[in-house]
Amino acid sequence: EKQQFACRGLVVGHVQSGKTANMTAVIAKALDAGYDTVILLAGLTNKLRYQTQLRMFNDLVKRNELLWNVRTPNDEAIDFRAPPQGGFLSNVGKAQIAVVKKNVSPLKQLKIAVRGTNVQALRRLRVLVIDDECDQAGVNAGRGEYDVTAINAHIRELLGMIPAVSYVGYTATPFANVLIDPFRKDVRETGELDDLYPRDFITALPASPNY
């Protein structure tokens, strides 16, 4: 079992082609494979985050609520908050999920929570980060290579803080993600922020028959 890894992938699907159902299946398979923590970056608005929160709760958590620690509430007005005691996602024996809006404040809270996590606990975590509609605010839309947008920078910094993490972006418009420069060195070698290029895989979902 690798102590550290940083996987980057991209899933492309038509609109209404079952991307959310595929996300749910990927999360379930990841937990079977040994992942214990899921961070789902969902939408830019409270309503979109809430819709995804309910979908994940109904399709995954409700099947066996005793095996889950849900870090974000089924409440449209409330997003992720770092636990006041500092520790983040460190409950042994439970799968953990946080459905987080892609805004600066919730992403800052995520980073505060990771920083507050015991180092040994953080090293044991196996984290899956899913970026829904990753072409929205996930890709660097700044004018220059290093002029990153705030949301993009927070996502990249978050990934750089977690020792064992896989990032999977979902989109119906992949071009911005695919055209990221793939040849920048890993953040662990250079100290530069990871650029989210899907260097490990790009896969396409089949169009549904009624598309």
Side-chain angles (χ1 to χ4, degrees), residues 14-17 207-211:
H14 294 286
V15 176
Q16 299 299 319
S17 67
S208 68
N210 56 358
Y211 175 69

Side-chain angles (χ1 to χ4, degrees), residues 39-40 104:
I39 298 171
L40 206 167
V104 169

Side-chain angles (χ1 to χ4, degrees), residues 14 17-18 27 53 80 83-84 88 98 100 111 120 125 128 131 137 142-144 148 151 162 188 193 196-197:
H14 294 286
S17 67
I27 291 170
Q53 170 84 23
F80 180 83
F88 176 57
V100 183
K111 292 197 300 181
Q120 294 303 319
L125 291 181
L128 173 65
D131 189 351
R143 289 174 180 238
V148 297
I151 292 172
I162 302 171
R188 302 192 201 287
L193 289 179
L196 308 183
Y197 181 79

Side-chain angles (χ1 to χ4, degrees), residues 68-82:
W68 286 92
N69 192 333
V70 183
R71 294 287 177 163
T72 46
N74 294 348
D75 186 322
E76 186 173 334
I78 303 176
D79 209 314
F80 180 83
R81 296 288 182 271

